[in-house]
Short mmCIF file of all heavy atoms in Angstrom, two decimals:
data_model
loop_
_atom_site.label_atom_id
_atom_site.label_comp_id
_atom_site.label_asym_id
_atom_site.label_seq_id
_atom_site.Cartn_x
_atom_site.Cartn_y
_atom_site.Cartn_z
N ASN A 1 -10.44 8.19 -2.38
CA ASN A 1 -10.02 7.79 -3.72
C ASN A 1 -10.50 6.36 -3.98
O ASN A 1 -10.17 5.44 -3.22
CB ASN A 1 -8.50 7.83 -3.87
CG ASN A 1 -7.98 9.26 -3.95
OD1 ASN A 1 -8.69 10.16 -4.40
ND2 ASN A 1 -6.75 9.47 -3.52
N LEU A 2 -11.28 6.16 -5.04
CA LEU A 2 -11.75 4.84 -5.42
C LEU A 2 -11.00 4.38 -6.66
O LEU A 2 -11.07 5.02 -7.71
CB LEU A 2 -13.26 4.87 -5.70
CG LEU A 2 -14.17 5.29 -4.54
CD1 LEU A 2 -15.61 5.37 -5.01
CD2 LEU A 2 -14.05 4.30 -3.38
N TYR A 3 -10.28 3.27 -6.54
CA TYR A 3 -9.55 2.71 -7.67
C TYR A 3 -10.27 1.46 -8.15
O TYR A 3 -10.51 0.54 -7.37
CB TYR A 3 -8.12 2.34 -7.25
CG TYR A 3 -7.24 3.51 -6.89
CD1 TYR A 3 -7.24 4.04 -5.59
CD2 TYR A 3 -6.40 4.10 -7.84
CE1 TYR A 3 -6.44 5.12 -5.26
CE2 TYR A 3 -5.59 5.18 -7.51
CZ TYR A 3 -5.61 5.67 -6.22
OH TYR A 3 -4.81 6.74 -5.89
N TYR A 4 -10.60 1.42 -9.43
CA TYR A 4 -11.28 0.27 -10.02
C TYR A 4 -10.29 -0.45 -10.92
O TYR A 4 -9.90 0.07 -11.98
CB TYR A 4 -12.50 0.72 -10.83
CG TYR A 4 -13.55 1.42 -10.01
CD1 TYR A 4 -13.48 2.80 -9.77
CD2 TYR A 4 -14.63 0.73 -9.47
CE1 TYR A 4 -14.45 3.45 -9.02
CE2 TYR A 4 -15.60 1.38 -8.73
CZ TYR A 4 -15.51 2.74 -8.50
OH TYR A 4 -16.46 3.38 -7.76
N PHE A 5 -9.86 -1.65 -10.52
CA PHE A 5 -8.89 -2.43 -11.29
C PHE A 5 -9.59 -3.56 -12.03
O PHE A 5 -10.41 -4.27 -11.45
CB PHE A 5 -7.82 -3.03 -10.37
CG PHE A 5 -6.81 -2.05 -9.86
CD1 PHE A 5 -7.08 -1.28 -8.73
CD2 PHE A 5 -5.60 -1.88 -10.50
CE1 PHE A 5 -6.16 -0.37 -8.25
CE2 PHE A 5 -4.66 -0.98 -10.02
CZ PHE A 5 -4.94 -0.22 -8.90
N GLU A 6 -9.23 -3.74 -13.29
CA GLU A 6 -9.72 -4.89 -14.05
C GLU A 6 -8.80 -6.08 -13.87
O GLU A 6 -9.22 -7.22 -13.98
CB GLU A 6 -9.83 -4.52 -15.53
CG GLU A 6 -10.87 -3.45 -15.82
CD GLU A 6 -10.98 -3.12 -17.29
OE1 GLU A 6 -10.34 -3.83 -18.10
OE2 GLU A 6 -11.68 -2.17 -17.64
N ASP A 7 -7.53 -5.80 -13.56
CA ASP A 7 -6.53 -6.86 -13.40
C ASP A 7 -6.19 -7.01 -11.92
O ASP A 7 -5.71 -6.07 -11.28
CB ASP A 7 -5.27 -6.50 -14.21
CG ASP A 7 -4.23 -7.61 -14.15
OD1 ASP A 7 -3.48 -7.67 -13.16
OD2 ASP A 7 -4.18 -8.40 -15.10
N HIS A 8 -6.45 -8.19 -11.35
CA HIS A 8 -6.26 -8.40 -9.91
C HIS A 8 -4.79 -8.31 -9.51
O HIS A 8 -4.46 -7.78 -8.44
CB HIS A 8 -6.82 -9.77 -9.50
CG HIS A 8 -6.83 -9.97 -8.01
ND1 HIS A 8 -6.05 -10.90 -7.38
CD2 HIS A 8 -7.52 -9.34 -7.02
CE1 HIS A 8 -6.26 -10.85 -6.08
NE2 HIS A 8 -7.14 -9.92 -5.83
N ASP A 9 -3.88 -8.80 -10.35
CA ASP A 9 -2.45 -8.73 -10.04
C ASP A 9 -1.99 -7.27 -9.91
O ASP A 9 -1.19 -6.94 -9.03
CB ASP A 9 -1.62 -9.44 -11.11
CG ASP A 9 -1.77 -10.95 -11.05
OD1 ASP A 9 -2.20 -11.45 -9.99
OD2 ASP A 9 -1.47 -11.62 -12.04
N GLN A 10 -2.49 -6.41 -10.78
CA GLN A 10 -2.12 -5.00 -10.70
C GLN A 10 -2.68 -4.35 -9.44
O GLN A 10 -2.04 -3.50 -8.83
CB GLN A 10 -2.60 -4.26 -11.95
CG GLN A 10 -1.74 -4.51 -13.17
CD GLN A 10 -1.80 -3.36 -14.15
OE1 GLN A 10 -2.58 -2.42 -13.98
NE2 GLN A 10 -0.99 -3.42 -15.18
N LEU A 11 -3.89 -4.74 -9.06
CA LEU A 11 -4.47 -4.24 -7.82
C LEU A 11 -3.56 -4.57 -6.64
O LEU A 11 -3.24 -3.71 -5.81
CB LEU A 11 -5.85 -4.85 -7.61
CG LEU A 11 -6.67 -4.39 -6.39
CD1 LEU A 11 -8.15 -4.61 -6.65
CD2 LEU A 11 -6.28 -5.13 -5.11
N ILE A 12 -3.13 -5.83 -6.57
CA ILE A 12 -2.28 -6.29 -5.46
C ILE A 12 -0.96 -5.54 -5.44
O ILE A 12 -0.51 -5.07 -4.38
CB ILE A 12 -2.04 -7.81 -5.57
CG1 ILE A 12 -3.35 -8.58 -5.39
CG2 ILE A 12 -1.00 -8.26 -4.54
CD1 ILE A 12 -4.06 -8.34 -4.08
N LYS A 13 -0.31 -5.39 -6.59
CA LYS A 13 0.98 -4.70 -6.65
C LYS A 13 0.84 -3.23 -6.28
O LYS A 13 1.68 -2.68 -5.57
CB LYS A 13 1.59 -4.85 -8.05
CG LYS A 13 2.04 -6.27 -8.37
CD LYS A 13 2.55 -6.37 -9.80
CE LYS A 13 2.94 -7.81 -10.14
NZ LYS A 13 3.40 -7.95 -11.54
N ASN A 14 -0.22 -2.59 -6.76
CA ASN A 14 -0.45 -1.18 -6.47
C ASN A 14 -0.66 -0.97 -4.98
O ASN A 14 -0.07 -0.07 -4.36
CB ASN A 14 -1.65 -0.69 -7.27
CG ASN A 14 -1.91 0.79 -7.13
OD1 ASN A 14 -2.42 1.25 -6.10
ND2 ASN A 14 -1.60 1.56 -8.16
N LEU A 15 -1.50 -1.82 -4.38
CA LEU A 15 -1.80 -1.71 -2.95
C LEU A 15 -0.57 -2.03 -2.11
O LEU A 15 -0.29 -1.35 -1.11
CB LEU A 15 -2.96 -2.64 -2.60
CG LEU A 15 -3.60 -2.49 -1.22
CD1 LEU A 15 -4.01 -1.05 -0.96
CD2 LEU A 15 -4.81 -3.41 -1.11
N ALA A 16 0.18 -3.04 -2.51
CA ALA A 16 1.39 -3.43 -1.77
C ALA A 16 2.42 -2.30 -1.76
O ALA A 16 3.07 -2.04 -0.74
CB ALA A 16 2.00 -4.69 -2.39
N ASN A 17 2.57 -1.60 -2.87
CA ASN A 17 3.51 -0.49 -2.95
C ASN A 17 3.08 0.67 -2.06
O ASN A 17 3.92 1.35 -1.45
CB ASN A 17 3.68 -0.03 -4.39
CG ASN A 17 4.49 -1.01 -5.22
OD1 ASN A 17 5.37 -1.70 -4.69
ND2 ASN A 17 4.21 -1.09 -6.51
N LYS A 18 1.77 0.91 -1.97
CA LYS A 18 1.27 1.94 -1.07
C LYS A 18 1.55 1.55 0.38
O LYS A 18 1.96 2.38 1.20
CB LYS A 18 -0.23 2.16 -1.28
CG LYS A 18 -0.59 2.82 -2.61
CD LYS A 18 -2.09 3.03 -2.72
CE LYS A 18 -2.47 3.60 -4.09
NZ LYS A 18 -1.88 4.92 -4.35
N PHE A 19 1.34 0.28 0.71
CA PHE A 19 1.65 -0.23 2.05
C PHE A 19 3.13 -0.02 2.38
O PHE A 19 3.48 0.41 3.48
CB PHE A 19 1.30 -1.72 2.14
CG PHE A 19 -0.13 -2.00 2.47
CD1 PHE A 19 -1.15 -1.15 2.08
CD2 PHE A 19 -0.48 -3.15 3.17
CE1 PHE A 19 -2.47 -1.41 2.38
CE2 PHE A 19 -1.80 -3.43 3.48
CZ PHE A 19 -2.80 -2.56 3.08
N LEU A 20 3.99 -0.37 1.43
CA LEU A 20 5.43 -0.31 1.64
C LEU A 20 5.87 1.12 1.99
O LEU A 20 6.67 1.32 2.92
CB LEU A 20 6.17 -0.80 0.40
CG LEU A 20 7.71 -0.82 0.48
CD1 LEU A 20 8.17 -1.76 1.58
CD2 LEU A 20 8.31 -1.23 -0.86
N LYS A 21 5.37 2.10 1.28
CA LYS A 21 5.73 3.50 1.54
C LYS A 21 5.31 3.92 2.94
O LYS A 21 6.06 4.57 3.67
CB LYS A 21 5.08 4.42 0.50
CG LYS A 21 5.67 4.30 -0.89
CD LYS A 21 4.96 5.21 -1.87
CE LYS A 21 5.51 5.06 -3.29
NZ LYS A 21 4.79 5.92 -4.27
N ILE A 22 4.10 3.54 3.33
CA ILE A 22 3.59 3.92 4.66
C ILE A 22 4.39 3.21 5.75
O ILE A 22 4.78 3.83 6.76
CB ILE A 22 2.09 3.56 4.78
CG1 ILE A 22 1.27 4.44 3.83
CG2 ILE A 22 1.60 3.75 6.22
CD1 ILE A 22 -0.18 3.99 3.67
N ILE A 23 4.65 1.93 5.57
CA ILE A 23 5.38 1.15 6.57
C ILE A 23 6.80 1.68 6.74
O ILE A 23 7.29 1.85 7.85
CB ILE A 23 5.39 -0.35 6.20
CG1 ILE A 23 3.99 -0.94 6.39
CG2 ILE A 23 6.41 -1.11 7.04
CD1 ILE A 23 3.84 -2.35 5.84
N ASN A 24 7.49 1.93 5.63
CA ASN A 24 8.88 2.43 5.70
C ASN A 24 8.95 3.78 6.40
O ASN A 24 9.86 4.03 7.21
CB ASN A 24 9.47 2.53 4.30
CG ASN A 24 9.85 1.17 3.72
OD1 ASN A 24 9.99 0.20 4.47
ND2 ASN A 24 10.01 1.10 2.42
N LYS A 25 7.99 4.64 6.11
CA LYS A 25 7.99 5.98 6.72
C LYS A 25 7.67 5.92 8.20
O LYS A 25 8.31 6.59 9.02
CB LYS A 25 6.99 6.88 5.99
CG LYS A 25 6.98 8.31 6.51
CD LYS A 25 5.99 9.16 5.71
CE LYS A 25 5.97 10.60 6.22
NZ LYS A 25 5.02 11.44 5.45
N SER A 26 6.69 5.12 8.57
CA SER A 26 6.22 5.08 9.96
C SER A 26 7.15 4.29 10.88
O SER A 26 7.08 4.43 12.10
CB SER A 26 4.81 4.49 10.04
OG SER A 26 4.78 3.17 9.53
N SER A 27 8.02 3.44 10.31
CA SER A 27 8.88 2.58 11.13
C SER A 27 10.30 3.11 11.27
O SER A 27 11.19 2.40 11.75
CB SER A 27 8.92 1.16 10.55
OG SER A 27 9.48 1.16 9.25
N ILE A 28 10.52 4.37 10.89
CA ILE A 28 11.88 4.94 10.99
C ILE A 28 12.32 5.03 12.44
O ILE A 28 13.43 4.62 12.80
CB ILE A 28 11.92 6.34 10.32
CG1 ILE A 28 11.72 6.20 8.80
CG2 ILE A 28 13.26 7.02 10.61
CD1 ILE A 28 11.62 7.54 8.08
N ASN A 29 11.47 5.58 13.29
CA ASN A 29 11.86 5.81 14.68
C ASN A 29 11.09 4.98 15.70
O ASN A 29 11.32 5.10 16.91
CB ASN A 29 11.66 7.30 15.04
CG ASN A 29 12.56 8.20 14.19
OD1 ASN A 29 13.75 7.92 14.01
ND2 ASN A 29 11.99 9.28 13.67
N ARG A 30 10.18 4.13 15.23
CA ARG A 30 9.39 3.31 16.14
C ARG A 30 8.80 2.14 15.36
O ARG A 30 9.02 2.02 14.16
CB ARG A 30 8.24 4.14 16.76
CG ARG A 30 7.30 4.73 15.71
CD ARG A 30 6.05 5.29 16.34
NE ARG A 30 5.20 5.97 15.40
CZ ARG A 30 4.34 5.37 14.56
NH1 ARG A 30 4.25 4.04 14.55
NH2 ARG A 30 3.60 6.07 13.73
N LYS A 31 8.05 1.30 16.06
CA LYS A 31 7.38 0.20 15.38
C LYS A 31 6.16 0.71 14.61
O LYS A 31 5.40 1.53 15.12
CB LYS A 31 6.93 -0.88 16.37
CG LYS A 31 8.08 -1.73 16.89
CD LYS A 31 7.55 -2.90 17.71
CE LYS A 31 8.70 -3.81 18.13
NZ LYS A 31 8.22 -4.99 18.90
N SER A 32 6.00 0.23 13.39
CA SER A 32 4.83 0.58 12.59
C SER A 32 3.67 -0.29 13.03
O SER A 32 3.82 -1.49 13.26
CB SER A 32 5.13 0.35 11.11
OG SER A 32 4.03 0.70 10.32
N ARG A 33 2.48 0.31 13.15
CA ARG A 33 1.30 -0.41 13.63
C ARG A 33 0.31 -0.54 12.47
O ARG A 33 -0.26 0.46 12.01
CB ARG A 33 0.66 0.33 14.80
CG ARG A 33 1.60 0.50 15.99
CD ARG A 33 0.91 1.20 17.14
NE ARG A 33 0.59 2.58 16.83
CZ ARG A 33 1.38 3.61 17.09
NH1 ARG A 33 2.56 3.42 17.64
NH2 ARG A 33 0.99 4.84 16.79
N ILE A 34 0.10 -1.77 12.02
CA ILE A 34 -0.83 -1.97 10.91
C ILE A 34 -1.93 -2.95 11.32
O ILE A 34 -1.71 -3.87 12.12
CB ILE A 34 -0.11 -2.46 9.62
CG1 ILE A 34 0.46 -3.85 9.78
CG2 ILE A 34 0.99 -1.49 9.23
CD1 ILE A 34 1.09 -4.39 8.49
#
């Protein structure tokens, strides 16, 4: 999936939210490795 953002702040928020979902899911029973 290629996302093309014109607004840098929106890019950061979008990517951060994707990170948050992955980190929360992967760290339930162990340490998350990023």
